[in-house]
Amino acid sequence: MSHHISAPEWELHSEYPGFDSPEYQSDLQHIENSVEELRLLSAGLAGPEVLSQAQRMAVMQKEADLLLYNLSSYAYLSRSTDSKHAQARTALDHLRKLGVKLTQSLQPLQQFVLRSDDETFAQFLAGPGLEDSQFYYQHQREVANTLLPLEHENLLSGLRLDGHHAWGHLYNNLTSAIEYELDLDGEKETVGVAHLLSMLSDKENHVRQAAFEGLNTVFTTHQETCAAILNALSGWRLEMCKRRSHTQSIDFLTEPLHSNRMQRSTLNTMIEVSRQHKGLGQKMLQLQARLLKKETLDPWDGQAPAPELGSKKPPLPFEEAMDIIVNAFNEVDPSMGRFARMMQEKQWIDAADLPHKTPGAFCSGFPKSRTPRVLMTYMGTASNLTTLAHELGHAFHSWVMRDMPLRETRYPMCLAETASTFAETVVRHYLLREAKTPEEKLSILWEEVSAIPRFLINLPVRYEFERQFYEARENKSFSAEEFKTLMADTWQDWHGHSMSQPDDMFWATKLHFYMAERSFYNFPYTFGYLFSQGIYAQKEQRGDNFFGFYTELLRDTGRMQVEDLVHKHFELPLDTPVFWQQCVNILEQYAQDFEGLLTELKL
């Protein structure tokens, strides 16, 4: 049985021995003192001393941010391996409130930075300890024209927690409380939403179908609540756009584009290139259907694993998975392989199957010690190996930046998936070369070709659905039925005849639409996927110079706009199809290889 696989638990004690430890309490006290001091300083942010006071506040903010991030990381990681960890939950709640207080105490500084003229701003940046903050503040100043008066900004920060964000919490609470009686092969069992979602990647068609139907049943029961949440989240954002458009007009894409440091022309070009190649995604869905012995794929097949060809493989032990990753990383550069081994030896990976562990996988870390941590549940499957490589890719990204100022290491979401997807690709290509039979090759390539419709079709569907909803939401609220219709139409537009039916409840079952912190949690994924393919293509072209190119590019991800990044490292513009076409060419090669293997194996 797969749950006998032994996998490591991580070590967090080196950061803080516990929530009651002097180390943790001292950092907490330090932030609380800083918030108080910043509040007093901000009250006097006027008069002749204003510049030196603003500089002092900015330096204090860096330290307070670092400690708050460090403490929150510790609490979050402690709760992730045990969701019933009472101390961690209490600590997280306390730190969130402290974060709001910190934001409010810094709003006068923010107003000063955003409202000051270019000359004053330049003098401010010349202050001691702010050498690393140039891009950080310049990027903020791009939205200076959308600032509201200080008391309004303060009010909004206070209201957000129980206003806008409460809607996101409602969806999370709803989905974690839902129970569904699953009847599978004559056996009844009560399961939650997370369990149903994990069943969508089961190898048995009837299990995936039961999960899909179960999800649609429970979400149809709660569809009015889901519709109310989406209407409220979008209504708040659209109202904010109106209020912030006092100097220049902004819309619902302004904020997601700004936080991704991306121009609208880049987004439009990328979506257009995806649309032009949706036929490639559709073709992959048809080839997958062929391998699954279906006329067309069903909407519950999006995460189906490769069908078993040849002999059944036993679960892969965690140690062997790490050996594969280390060997694959070594082919990029030995230091990358050494890094993965270090993550294992220092116990910075938590992969054990624990009873109250958070589902899913992520990479986080501690800004104080500059050490990453990776969490997942390892059960010995092929997709677990990919996930482990993916998260170690994220960890490597932060590791190559560990000597840089923290301010320059915060990269936007569209670049967050660069190193992780690249690491996956490296491991898959290594496995393809090591594969002994066409059957083995086919099951490895399955992962590669599954990604093509996911990023060229499924994610653009989410983007187009959200965009069209926001455009229409200006004038009216949507009913659950209208959400279903819009989702079905958008789905059909992109999938064509490559699926048996649209998933018209996808708007309700997809968590990404319900995140209060950010909207349009979709297009950055397509960007990251295509971008990492473009990087992988450079591996052949640059040979021995590749690793230097790759690490330099990773180090720049936190300190420039994406257009500048691509221009610097690829010498190509992002608002014309040339760069994107290069990325898609690689995908067409995967498609050819996959189809060739199907023909060779007479499948």
Side-chain angles (χ1 to χ4, degrees):
M1 296 268 299
S2 57
H3 60 253
H4 289 314
I5 282 252
S6 76
E9 293 180 45
W10 58 25
E11 175 285 313
L12 302 178
H13 288 304
S14 56
E15 206 64 33
Y16 297 110
F19 288 99
D20 301 326
S21 67
E23 294 89 335
Y24 183 93
Q25 292 302 325
S26 146
D27 281 358
L28 186 62
Q29 192 58 53
H30 194 105
I31 305 174
E32 286 174 345
N33 295 347
S34 297
V35 168
E36 193 48 41
E37 197 180 333
L38 283 163
R39 207 172 55 77
L40 295 170
L41 277 171
S42 65
L45 201 56
E49 295 297 304
V50 64
L51 195 63
S52 60
Q53 253 167 309
Q55 288 165 336
R56 187 168 160 214
M57 285 177 76
V59 172
M60 282 178 67
Q61 177 191 354
K62 285 204 300 185
E63 193 176 4
D65 279 347
L66 176 124
L67 293 180
L68 185 64
Y69 187 157
N70 216 61
L71 293 168
S72 303
S73 212
Y74 179 71
Y76 180 66
L77 296 180
S78 302
R79 196 199 63 182
S80 300
T81 49
D82 177 10
S83 59
K84 296 195 180 318
H85 196 312
Q87 267 187 310
R89 287 164 74 157
T90 308
L92 273 173
D93 198 40
H94 179 64
L95 291 165
R96 268 191 210 110
K97 289 178 179 145
L98 197 53
V100 172
K101 283 186 189 162
L102 180 63
T103 303
Q104 287 174 328
S105 69
L106 286 162
Q107 268 159 349
L109 171 67
Q110 191 196 20
Q111 299 257 338
F112 167 80
V113 168
L114 299 198
R115 291 185 192 281
S116 54
D117 57 42
D118 289 349
E119 192 187 341
T120 312
F121 176 62
Q123 287 175 315
F124 163 76
L125 276 183
L130 295 178
E131 305 79 13
D132 59 358
S133 301
Q134 199 143 358
F135 178 75
Y136 175 81
Y137 285 121
Q138 267 163 349
H139 183 245
Q140 284 185 10
R141 270 169 76 88
E142 286 173 16
V143 292
N145 287 341
T146 67
L147 258 193
L148 296 171
L150 178 59
E151 61 275 18
H152 292 185
E153 291 289 354
N154 259 317
L155 178 65
L156 279 172
S157 297
L159 288 176
R160 205 168 266 127
L161 211 54
D162 291 317
H164 183 56
H165 282 202
W167 290 105
H169 293 315
L170 174 61
Y171 181 83
N172 290 336
N173 293 342
L174 176 73
T175 51
S176 54
I178 285 174
E179 291 189 335
Y180 175 70
E181 192 176 271
L182 180 68
D183 188 349
L184 199 59
D185 304 327
E187 284 190 27
K188 290 189 175 176
E189 155 181 35
T190 303
V191 297
V193 169
H195 187 86
L196 288 171
L197 287 168
S198 70
M199 285 167 61
L200 288 173
S201 49
D202 195 275
K203 60 178 185 293
E204 297 293 342
N205 179 64
H206 75 285
V207 175
R208 296 195 300 274
Q209 185 174 355
F212 176 79
E213 287 167 358
L215 283 167
N216 282 4
T217 302
V218 291
F219 278 96
T220 302
T221 309
H222 296 286
Q223 65 180 11
E224 295 307 327
T225 308
C226 292
I229 295 171
L230 280 191
N231 280 311
L233 286 171
S234 55
W236 169 289
R237 289 187 186 119
L238 290 167
E239 183 60 30
M240 290 303 302
C241 291
K242 260 188 224 137
R243 300 284 166 150
R244 293 191 181 284
S245 292
H246 48 74
T247 308
Q248 67 186 71
S249 177
I250 66 165
D251 69 1
F252 52 83
L253 277 170
T254 306
E255 202 288 316
L257 284 167
H258 180 252
S259 67
N260 278 288
R261 303 180 196 159
M262 190 189 295
Q263 299 295 323
R264 201 169 292 242
S265 52
T266 295
L267 173 61
N268 292 342
T269 306
M270 182 186 81
I271 294 292
E272 189 45 44
V273 170
S274 303
R275 182 176 280 285
Q276 284 164 7
H277 292 90
K278 66 182 180 183
L280 176 63
Q282 291 169 2
K283 185 182 177 185
M284 290 306 93
L285 293 169
Q286 284 151 356
L287 290 177
Q288 286 185 287
R290 197 168 124 189
L291 194 49
L292 289 172
K293 297 187 168 46
K294 289 186 166 198
E295 277 297 307
T296 45
L297 283 190
D298 295 300
W300 52 84
D301 295 326
Q303 297 166 48
E308 278 172 7
L309 304 164
S311 56
K312 191 170 162 31
K313 286 197 159 173
L316 182 71
F318 180 81
E319 288 69 23
E320 285 181 35
M322 282 303 302
D323 290 344
I324 290 169
I325 290 170
V326 169
N327 291 339
F329 282 11
N330 277 338
E331 294 194 354
V332 180
D333 192 80
S335 63
M336 198 169 159
R338 283 198 297 276
F339 164 76
R341 189 61 84 202
M342 176 193 71
M343 288 289 294
Q344 181 184 8
E345 287 167 354
K346 287 194 181 283
Q347 292 174 279
W348 290 347
I349 303 169
D350 195 299
D353 183 14
L354 304 169
H356 301 297
K357 190 170 180 175
T358 305
F362 63 80
C363 171
S364 183
F366 295 109
K368 248 178 111 172
S369 60
R370 303 303 281 263
T371 60
R373 296 290 190 282
V374 158
L375 176 131
M376 66 168 296
T377 301
Y378 185 84
M379 308 291 262
T381 66
S383 73
N384 286 165
L385 172 65
T386 307
T387 303
L388 183 56
H390 180 99
E391 299 307 333
L392 287 168
H394 278 307
F396 182 71
H397 194 164
S398 59
W399 189 251
V400 298
M401 293 173 142
R402 69 191 181 282
D403 60 324
M404 288 169 56
L406 211 60
R407 278 249 159 106
E408 294 183 1
T409 65
R410 298 281 167 82
Y411 39 78
M413 192 194 147
C414 64
L415 297 175
E417 297 305 317
T418 304
S420 53
T421 316
F422 174 77
E424 274 188 53
T425 309
V426 166
V427 169
R428 271 204 286 273
H429 283 242
Y430 171 79
L431 288 169
L432 274 174
R433 279 198 311 279
E434 293 288 306
K436 305 284 185 284
T437 64
E439 285 86 356
E440 266 185 74
K441 277 192 179 150
L442 195 63
S443 60
I444 296 161
L445 265 176
W446 172 274
E447 294 268 329
E448 208 76 75
V449 299
S450 304
I452 297 173
R454 190 176 311 136
F455 293 104
L456 286 189
I457 294 183
N458 187 291
L459 279 145
V461 164
R462 301 180 206 179
Y463 166 74
E464 287 289 349
F465 163 82
E466 200 164 358
R467 184 184 61 77
Q468 289 177 46
F469 161 53
Y470 270 79
E471 281 170 1
R473 179 69 181 85
E474 297 272 5
N475 306 313
K476 61 165 197 166
S477 288
F478 268 52
S479 67
E481 289 309 316
E482 287 170 313
F483 277 124
K484 280 192 204 170
T485 304
L486 178 59
M487 181 49 85
D489 290 350
T490 315
W491 185 278
Q492 210 56 46
D493 176 32
W494 283 78
H495 285 86
H497 299 296
S498 61
M499 282 258 182
S500 63
Q501 65 190 77
D503 180 359
D504 64 358
M505 284 300 289
F506 192 58
W507 62 275
T509 58
K510 191 71 213 164
L511 161 74
H512 287 177
F513 294 126
Y514 294 87
M515 298 168 87
E517 295 79 14
R518 45 168 68 107
S519 56
F520 288 89
Y521 198 81
N522 35 53
F523 69 80
Y525 277 107
T526 294
F527 184 102
Y529 171 69
L530 291 172
F531 185 52
S532 71
Q533 298 300 327
I535 293 171
Y536 193 81
Q538 295 290 314
K539 191 168 168 285
E540 302 299 300
Q541 292 169 27
R542 292 178 187 256
D544 291 346
N545 301 328
F546 172 75
F547 190 65
F549 157 82
Y550 179 54
T551 49
E552 275 311 302
L553 182 142
L554 290 182
R555 286 169 67 85
D556 278 340
T557 51
R559 53 187 178 197
M560 50 183 71
Q561 297 281 113
V562 293
E563 289 81 10
D564 297 338
L565 181 78
V566 172
H567 192 261
K568 175 179 171 180
H569 294 279
F570 288 85
E571 294 173 3
L572 286 171
L574 277 183
D575 57 357
T576 65
V578 184
F579 173 78
W580 302 109
Q581 189 55 53
Q582 282 188 6
C583 305
V584 175
N585 290 346
I586 301 162
L587 308 182
E588 289 179 330
Q589 188 56 56
Y590 298 151
Q592 279 174 18
D593 294 348
F594 188 71
E595 194 167 15
L597 281 169
L598 281 178
T599 309
E600 184 186 334
L601 290 163
K602 300 187 171 57
L603 291 164

